[in-house]
Amino acid sequence: MRKDLPFTRKFIERVIARHPTPFHIYDEAGIRANARRLRKAFAWNAGFREYFAVKAAPNPFLMKLLQAEGFGSDCSSLSELLLSQRVGIAGVLLGVAMCVLGTTAAVDALRRGVTPLPGIDARTFFIVPMGDIFLFA
């Protein structure tokens, strides 16, 4: 399978001249198209929702782009949770699984009002009150 780059050599040379490496170039049209294909593939499941692993690329631009395509944020740390909230991702689009009890992040989470889910081992999963975050297992 052949993959064509979404930019020319001349374009990348101009980018390099203006921005020293390292840098990342994202294909917004390609990301949007792939996100839509993924959602379409699971459209048969009315309850399906996709979550972007913030840990993979904690980039606010990507997070907002994927949010616009209906994706949520999958957060596995307090910093990922705060970043997601800062870019406006909340409610059912914000998933968190924090396995950090005993760490600074767990202490910070507890200070911010994070409480254990009922029936879940309090050393493993937390949820912020008032429905802002739900358990993403």
Side-chain angles (χ1 to χ4, degrees):
M1 182 171 140
R2 184 165 185 245
K3 172 71 174 162
D4 293 321
L5 295 175
F7 49 81
T8 64
R9 180 180 182 103
K10 186 176 181 177
F11 170 80
I12 198 68
E13 287 171 348
R14 283 196 320 261
V15 171
I16 291 169
R18 186 171 175 196
H19 303 283
T21 61
F23 56 80
H24 294 248
I25 295 179
Y26 297 100
D27 175 10
E28 181 177 351
I31 292 169
R32 287 185 185 278
N34 285 331
R36 291 172 185 161
R37 276 197 297 276
L38 179 67
R39 289 183 47 126
K40 185 177 178 182
F42 287 93
W44 59 269
N45 180 350
F48 177 79
R49 186 172 281 124
E50 184 59 39
Y51 293 83
F52 171 69
V54 176
K55 181 182 300 263
N59 178 317
F61 174 82
L62 286 176
M63 294 167 68
K64 288 179 184 179
L65 186 154
L66 290 168
Q67 179 189 25
E69 295 299 330
F71 283 47
S73 284
D74 172 6
C75 305
S76 62
S77 70
L78 182 62
S79 59
E80 294 170 17
L81 170 64
L82 296 174
L83 178 60
S84 295
Q85 289 177 324
R86 179 153 298 205
V87 300
I89 300 171
V92 296
L93 291 178
L94 185 55
V96 63
M98 293 178 52
C99 305
V100 293
L101 195 68
T103 67
T104 303
V107 172
D108 288 345
L110 293 169
R111 285 185 183 146
R112 291 174 187 277
V114 176
T115 57
L117 282 168
I120 303 290
D121 185 342
R123 295 170 296 177
T124 307
F125 297 101
F126 298 89
I127 191 165
V128 170
M130 298 178 289
D132 287 342
I133 300 171
F134 73 103
L135 172 65
F136 182 75

